[in-house]
Amino acid sequence: MKRSYVLLIVLFALPLLDVFYSCCNCNDDVVDHYYSFSDFSVNNIDNSGQNPLESEQEEINKNAYGIRLYINKELLSNSEKSTNNKCYLFSSSAYAFSCDCDFSSYNLVNPIQSIKIFTLQDFNNEKLANSDVSEYFNVIHTYKTVEESIEEINKVFNRTSPDIFVDYLLMNAPSPENINHQFRIEITLDNEEIINLETIITLI
Amino acid sequence: MKKSFVLGLLISFIFSTNTYSQDSLAYKTRFQIRVAGGVNILFSDLNENRETDFLIGHGSDISVPVSFTFTTFFNKHWGMEVDLKISNDTGNDKKFTESIIQQYEASFFSTVTTGITNSTPMTGTVGIVYRKETEKFYFHPKLAIGVTSFETSWGRANLKEKNTNIEYELLYSANKTVKDHFAVLLSHAMGYKISKRFWVDLETSLLMYKTNIVYERALLNLYTQDSQKEIINYKKNILEANISLGLKYVFY
């Protein structure tokens, strides 16, 4: 009777020990990818309705105006393999509990340092021509500031659809006498490269 | 031929009245199980003519519950009964959505969601039953206490103001998701013994309980983060009447 118990314990314990004392070997599967911003563009949006729509109209309701910033990203060719031997436990085995190998990692080259929106015409009494009016714009739905949106733009990368856009809504209407507007969006990258984009609109 | 023979046998078994002598089985049953279906009528309902009425899983004036009852008698006249009633009355996702859209459509586009799961309201009671029987008829008045439970779910709407860049979040939340209420039940069943084992009856009952549901309506301007709150109370004394037709199977 006792021998059979001992035998049962040994039979169950061995696989359990094997599971406890094991780890993953991710040597062959991890690839580091690098990507960068390839293109930026802007469009005016009309947010009068339920959802914002890109507008080709010359006039948009000043209380429902926004700027859509398109950001195109591309994978670079200098992807490389790296070692990723994450041993959570002690010895190698095929029966690990968990095997959190990072099979691919995506690293952004030259992230965005700043995004600023300038008005090229007088906006109101406080913001005259060439003033920074970034504070008047907020991200749609979340109402994050332009500066707060940068972290999300730099972080998000979807391999199947790498291009994204961000809608910045104008939350402060201009003075009634100023209806013709021109905005310059200035994007500064980590390598100090500056990209300037402009959009023209009549806000009624 | 075989089918009609079996059917004939079954019918004669159920409706046979000559298998026992007069008065020999009155008060003799020890256990009874009953299945019944009926109609529930709310005399005092939970409606406040607000949109939150549709988030409460027990708002209809009339519903159709089914019940399962187990009765045991420990002496000639007195026994104990356990009853479970399950209703078809649930919250109404569609009506809540329509109510919100209608309320705000002049100035907003609305996108509405709710947490209504259509979980069925239930009432469970335990009580004492008194029996008065003759050879063919029986009368069972009862007094019981128990719990009645029904869902009180959340509702949410995103309101996009027309011709502006402003969005609001409208949220309705109750102090508890599922409400359990202590209840008192008074009922009376009158029945006929169609055979030795199968009895039918008509039961009328009154269920009384008090609700203490409080909904909070919060309207949040997502840009300014300004919030307006409102309390909607459902603190009421509820009276429900139920009429059901039941089939009993008895054990001796």
Side-chain angles (χ1 to χ4, degrees):
Chain A
M1 187 69 164
K2 282 187 184 176
R3 277 189 200 168
S4 55
Y5 277 134
V6 170
L7 189 62
L8 272 172
I9 289 168
V10 168
L11 281 173
F12 279 115
L14 275 176
L16 275 177
L17 273 176
D18 205 21
V19 166
F20 280 120
Y21 292 98
S22 58
C23 75
C24 293
N25 191 337
C26 300
N27 270 343
D28 297 331
D29 296 321
V30 178
V31 179
D32 287 328
H33 297 283
Y34 296 92
Y35 67 97
S36 69
F37 296 112
S38 60
D39 193 25
F40 296 91
S41 60
V42 289
N43 269 337
N44 295 316
I45 52 173
D46 183 348
N47 198 31
S48 305
Q50 185 162 17
N51 296 303
L53 297 172
E54 287 186 30
S55 175
E56 298 300 328
Q57 306 282 337
E58 289 181 357
E59 297 176 352
I60 290 178
N61 182 335
K62 62 185 174 186
N63 294 312
Y65 172 71
I67 296 173
R68 177 165 287 177
L69 173 63
Y70 278 100
I71 300 152
N72 298 335
K73 302 177 185 179
E74 63 177 7
L75 269 180
L76 301 175
S77 57
N78 59 336
S79 301
E80 58 193 48
K81 286 189 179 180
S82 67
T83 332
N84 189 351
N85 192 358
K86 289 192 179 179
C87 275
Y88 294 99
L89 308 159
F90 296 99
S91 59
S92 8
S93 163
Y95 300 105
F97 265 131
S98 161
C99 211
D100 285 345
C101 291
D102 288 332
F103 297 102
S104 290
S105 70
Y106 294 92
N107 308 290
L108 176 59
V109 174
N110 288 324
I112 294 173
Q113 282 300 311
S114 75
I115 299 176
K116 291 183 183 177
I117 303 174
F118 295 89
T119 177
L120 301 184
Q121 268 81 40
D122 290 348
F123 191 84
N124 55 27
N125 292 336
E126 281 180 26
K127 302 287 184 182
L128 301 176
N130 297 309
S131 299
D132 183 347
V133 292
S134 306
E135 65 194 82
Y136 289 166
F137 286 84
N138 290 85
V139 179
I140 195 171
H141 303 318
T142 62
Y143 296 98
K144 284 185 178 178
T145 63
V146 174
E147 193 176 333
E148 286 170 341
S149 70
I150 295 170
E151 185 185 346
E152 196 67 24
I153 293 169
N154 284 335
K155 193 168 65 177
V156 170
F157 182 77
N158 185 328
R159 190 175 179 169
T160 52
S161 50
D163 300 336
I164 61 171
F165 63 82
V166 180
D167 289 342
Y168 295 111
L169 303 179
L170 179 62
M171 305 306 298
N172 274 58
S175 303
E177 59 272 18
N178 303 326
I179 61 169
N180 294 312
H181 294 275
Q182 205 169 345
F183 295 103
R184 177 169 62 85
I185 296 89
E186 181 187 278
I187 302 169
T188 306
L189 302 182
D190 194 43
N191 61 357
E192 296 183 6
E193 180 187 350
I194 297 176
I195 296 117
N196 283 300
L197 306 158
E198 285 186 12
T199 182
I200 298 174
I201 192 65
T202 299
L203 297 178
I204 54 172
Chain B
M1 177 71 173
K2 271 192 187 175
K3 280 186 193 172
S4 50
F5 177 74
V6 170
L7 192 62
L9 204 63
L10 195 65
I11 289 169
S12 64
F13 171 70
I14 291 171
F15 290 100
S16 63
T17 57
N18 297 323
T19 56
Y20 54 93
S21 57
Q22 288 186 352
D23 296 331
S24 64
L25 293 174
Y27 302 106
K28 290 288 173 34
T29 61
R30 284 294 309 278
F31 305 104
Q32 299 173 355
I33 51 174
R34 177 180 184 261
V35 174
V39 171
N40 225 47
I41 303 166
L42 278 179
F43 285 119
S44 47
D45 59 31
L46 281 168
N47 290 335
E48 288 287 328
N49 293 319
R50 293 294 306 267
E51 56 276 21
T52 39
D53 293 352
F54 304 115
L55 296 174
I56 299 174
H58 199 40
S60 300
D61 290 340
I62 298 176
S63 59
V64 183
V66 292
S67 62
F68 306 92
T69 312
F70 173 77
T71 312
T72 179
F73 289 95
F74 30 79
N75 63 28
K76 183 179 177 183
H77 286 293
W78 295 97
M80 193 179 79
E81 186 169 283
V82 177
D83 180 85
L84 177 68
K85 197 180 268 89
I86 301 170
S87 174
N88 67 334
D89 193 11
T90 62
N92 198 318
D93 187 62
K94 190 177 169 191
K95 282 191 177 173
F96 176 76
T97 301
E98 283 171 1
S99 163
I100 296 293
I101 290 174
Q102 199 177 15
Q103 207 177 134
Y104 293 101
E105 65 183 348
S107 302
F108 296 91
F109 298 101
S110 307
T111 307
V112 184
T113 52
T114 71
I116 292 172
T117 61
N118 292 323
S119 63
T120 50
M122 287 193 280
T123 302
T125 56
V126 172
I128 51 170
V129 56
Y130 179 84
R131 65 177 167 181
K132 182 76 181 168
E133 289 186 22
T134 66
E135 182 190 341
K136 289 289 188 190
F137 298 95
Y138 63 92
F139 307 88
H140 287 173
K142 299 168 227 181
L143 173 65
I145 57 170
V147 171
T148 184
S149 295
F150 47 86
E151 182 186 46
T152 52
S153 72
W154 56 264
R156 181 182 283 128
N158 176 275
L159 305 175
K160 160 66 176 63
E161 193 170 4
K162 294 179 179 177
N163 297 314
T164 77
N165 282 328
I166 306 287
E167 280 179 52
Y168 294 83
E169 184 185 73
L170 183 60
L171 180 64
Y172 295 88
S173 55
N175 47 350
K176 279 187 188 177
T177 305
V178 176
K179 299 301 293 183
D180 296 327
H181 308 274
F182 172 74
V184 174
L185 178 80
L186 280 173
S187 71
H188 184 260
M190 291 187 307
Y192 177 74
K193 303 174 187 178
I194 52 176
S195 74
K196 182 182 175 183
R197 297 276 184 184
F198 287 95
W199 301 358
V200 289
D201 62 30
L202 182 74
E203 184 176 287
T204 54
S205 64
L206 280 177
L207 185 73
M208 294 159 282
Y209 57 93
K210 186 171 181 169
T211 60
N212 188 21
I213 304 166
V214 177
Y215 265 97
E216 182 186 83
R217 173 187 174 275
L219 181 65
L220 174 69
N221 181 318
L222 291 175
Y223 173 55
T224 63
Q225 294 292 303
D226 290 337
S227 177
Q228 292 171 22
K229 291 188 180 178
E230 181 193 357
I231 297 293
I232 305 167
N233 270 313
Y234 287 89
K235 294 183 181 182
K236 291 191 165 187
N237 294 319
I238 303 294
L239 187 65
E240 287 182 22
N242 178 270
I243 302 171
S244 65
L245 195 61
L247 178 67
K248 269 191 184 181
Y249 184 84
V250 302
F251 300 86
Y252 292 91

